[in-house]
Amino acid sequence: MKKITVTLPGGEKRSYPAGVKICKILQDLEGEWVEKVLVAKTDGHLVDLSYPLQEDSNLSFFTFEDEEGKEVYRHSTAHLMAQSVQQLFPEAKITIGPPIENGFYYDFYLSTPFTPEDLSKIEERMQENARKNLPIIRQEMSKETAKEYFKKREERYKLEILEEIEEEQVSLYSQGEFTDLCRGPHLPSTGRIKTFKLLSVAGAYWRGDERREMLQRIYGTSFEREEELKIHLDRLAEAKRRDHRILGKKLDLFSIHEEIGGGLIHWHPKGAMIRQRIEDFWRKEHLNRGYQLVFTPHIASEEVYRISGHLENYSDLMYSSMEVEDRPFRVKPMNCPGHIMIYKSHLHSYRELPIRYAELGTVYRFERSGVLHGLFRVRGFTIDDAHIFCQPQKVEEEVISVINFSLEFLKAFGFTEFAVYIATRPEKCVGREEDWVRATKALEEAAKKAGLPYKIDEGGGAFYGPKIDLKIMDSLGRSWQCTTIQFDFNLPERFDISFINDEGKAERSYLIHRAILGSLERFFGILIEHYGGAFPLWLAPVHVRVMTVTQEGDKFAQEIYERLHHEGIQVNLDLRNEKIGFKIREAEEEKIPYMIVIGKKEAKEKTLSVRARRKGDLGKRSLDEFLIQIQAEIAQKSVID
RNA sequence: GCCCAUGUAGCUCAGUCGGUAGAGCACAUCCUUGGUAAGGAUGAGGUCACCGGUUCGAAUCCGGUCAUGGGCUCCA
């Protein structure tokens, strides 16, 4: 009998007869981890534990702790769900059911939609099927045989998938009476799936194509241990509590009105105060870093968008034109043309470059009603935009400085973890090869010099240039893309922008678009959720509330108010005839960082009883001490509460 | 835009079988002057999203419209 050599993860080599199954090898191994192995990898691809090894192989193993293990685990949970759904709804047709971040889904065709009650029934059935510990068996067969099989079962979606598969051999996975066309791999048996939860049901188009029929999608998640599931569900509940749409209403920060239109944000005084603080900081930092602030109009002749190419490429996100003295105008969907026109208004020497124009530019883009979502997806928003015009050899330097700027700026809001993505040249693109190479290299070098690990999104760039995106991690561990730095090889050509080089000749300028926060609206939404509505002092719309225990404190409270107000502190005064506990409760609910409690004692001693949000009574101090303390806290932009 | 769900007082939500609308919070007035997360009483507040239909009668049943929410990239 033929022998093969199996190399184990530690490097140890063992000899086995050819055709040995991986699970057999696992049985010979020692350690607690052996039982946790869900899937194996041999020579670069993931395989079932029942996979027979025919040749010498390098083996590695994965458990739920690994991304690979998690995906297989959840993919098998999706199959368990599909099996249970077909038992309860025999008319349901199976389609696809992949693992996704934090869970899985499965799409079914069913003429009547699932109800929330159906979900718990399906869950129960899944428990039963898991308890039965059905072996999950892989079968390989020719495409033709598989087609006959699914034809008999009237699984037309599976037939459609089969049509598109190029290989001649396909694999089917069975558990009990349920069989699905699937590449795999899967867990050895349904009993390996320990704990799961079905979360929601939604419509989804077959193949994500809106011209195709609507399927019923069930989302769920699964874990190995009950505690892990609980942590995950708690996190979802916490995210719901922090939902910026709810907090925005409760804290009176912003609103959206049916009468005015979806996706159009109204910043209430408190929200506007926060925005002012962000904008003031933004302007100051931009001036410090050699940017020049500009303003550009909200509408522009259609001609400029014809030149820029937006009319051709982006008209589906632009609002339709309006006639102004027989000339078509458009509401601006981006700020670049305006900045370019400013640049072009006179000749530029290489000595002047780089020129950096920055604007908090409000733009309007058409988003379909169904995708609008609070502050995250809107129709009118303000980009913290800038366009950098520079010489080709200066791009790396510029990108590094933008990255460093972003990191420092975002740090002021308490974001310290970043992920970096570089998107490279797509198939269809404009610009010279050498420019793409130079620009892409500049992005990589810049990421390296900033000490940031990055991932390459091959072919993910815009048609007009490569880009680098920074994602921030919020307090719930969710990531958000904010900063984007994009090269543009399209607009410089189209608008013919140039500078005069040291030989006195006109040379094409490089153009970099960049935004640090992305959109103020969206960033505000992220901040609300990141802080759970409790803004740090430097951003808080109200810094301090002075409140009295009885009327005997009124006069002194008034004095404190006047002084703080005079010093530029956002302060308000609560002299109402209410109990102190009630006043504190209200201030806590409004998430005001500091409360000053003034009673008879304080009025007599001329001291302040200071209470910090969520922390309680901090004790007494003088007005001067308190003022110095909070002024320092504001100046430092402290985010620690 | 499409599928599903939801739409009742400023907010959060009850409302049974079709019989003309309810709570808590907020608001107003009064009483209460109190010590670190809700003192008490009284009152005002509604074209039940909108339009149409069925019915003697519609918040409730039916149809349509609008808005909001969950989704609509993850490829057997």
Side-chain angles (χ1 to χ4, degrees), chain A residues 5-30:
Chain A
T5 305
V6 175
T7 311
L8 296 170
E12 190 196 336
K13 291 183 195 303
R14 292 196 185 191
S15 180
Y16 281 98
V20 64
K21 288 185 175 176
I22 294 170
C23 49
K24 183 80 182 48
I25 299 171
L26 269 173
Q27 278 170 12
D28 297 341
L29 301 177
E30 306 243 314

Side-chain angles (χ1 to χ4, degrees), chain A residues 126-184:
Chain A
M126 287 169 72
Q127 305 279 14
E128 283 169 36
N129 286 322
R131 256 199 308 273
K132 285 183 194 155
N133 196 18
L134 304 165
I136 300 174
I137 298 155
R138 179 188 173 97
Q139 263 179 288
E140 293 197 9
M141 59 180 72
S142 73
K143 205 157 69 176
E144 282 314 307
T145 319
K147 272 189 202 168
E148 276 169 39
Y149 178 81
F150 285 110
K151 203 166 190 173
K152 228 184 298 162
R153 292 208 164 191
E154 294 177 356
E155 292 287 3
R156 56 193 155 95
Y157 295 93
K158 290 293 168 187
L159 286 171
E160 191 175 328
I161 293 162
L162 275 166
E163 286 303 329
E164 289 165 20
I165 294 177
E166 284 173 16
E167 295 87 42
E168 260 322 298
Q169 283 289 107
V170 297
S171 58
L172 272 60
Y173 279 81
S174 301
Q175 53 199 60
E177 78 300 337
F178 174 79
T179 300
D180 198 354
L181 173 71
C182 185
R183 187 184 288 143

Side-chain angles (χ1 to χ4, degrees), chain A residues 29 45 352 447 624:
Chain A
L29 301 177
H45 48 265
E352 285 177 71
D624 286 328

Side-chain angles (χ1 to χ4, degrees), chain A residues 311-328:
Chain A
L311 224 47
E312 220 177 303
N313 299 305
Y314 294 103
S315 58
D316 53 340
L317 61 78
M318 291 169 69
Y319 289 100
S320 49
S321 64
M322 53 190 135
E323 297 294 317
V324 180
E325 290 178 331
D326 295 333
R327 210 173 144 200

Side-chain angles (χ1 to χ4, degrees), chain A residues 261-408:
Chain A
L264 300 168
I265 307 302
H266 296 74
W267 298 69
H268 293 201
K270 286 181 183 165
M273 180 61 80
I274 296 168
R275 173 165 170 170
Q276 284 297 347
R277 301 251 169 75
I278 298 170
E279 288 190 358
D280 289 348
F281 178 45
W282 188 92
R283 284 192 199 94
K284 200 174 122 221
E285 288 301 311
H286 278 74
L287 292 173
N288 282 345
R289 288 164 196 266
Y291 285 79
Q292 295 170 283
L293 302 181
V294 299
F295 293 97
T296 61
H298 287 74
I299 61 169
S301 162
E302 206 168 274
E303 189 51 28
V304 80
Y305 298 114
R306 201 181 312 283
I307 297 171
S308 69
H310 287 125
L311 224 47
E312 220 177 303
N313 299 305
Y314 294 103
S315 58
D316 53 340
L317 61 78
M318 291 169 69
Y319 289 100
S320 49
S321 64
M322 53 190 135
E323 297 294 317
V324 180
E325 290 178 331
D326 295 333
R327 210 173 144 200
F329 275 69
R330 296 277 189 145
V331 174
K332 73 169 167 182
M334 43 255 305
N335 302 306
C336 350
H339 292 191
I340 290 172
M341 294 324 282
I342 294 173
Y343 179 87
K344 267 175 73 91
S345 61
H346 55 90
L347 279 182
H348 295 282
S349 154
Y350 73 97
R351 294 170 192 275
E352 285 177 71
L353 299 187
I355 286 175
R356 311 180 187 95
Y357 292 144
E359 177 180 15
L360 292 162
T362 305
V363 299
Y364 293 87
R365 296 182 187 173
F366 171 70
E367 296 281 2
R368 297 194 294 176
S369 57
V371 306
L372 298 177
H373 181 94
L375 294 170
F376 289 162
R377 197 82 177 264
V378 295
R379 285 182 175 159
F381 56 100
T382 303
I383 307 175
D384 67 316
D385 213 351
H387 293 91
I388 299 171
F389 302 85
C390 70
Q391 300 176 71
Q393 63 271 30
K394 291 292 172 73
V395 295
E396 190 183 314
E397 208 176 297
E398 282 304 309
V399 173
I400 291 172
S401 77
V402 174
I403 289 176
N404 287 332
F405 187 4
S406 290
L407 296 180
E408 273 181 53

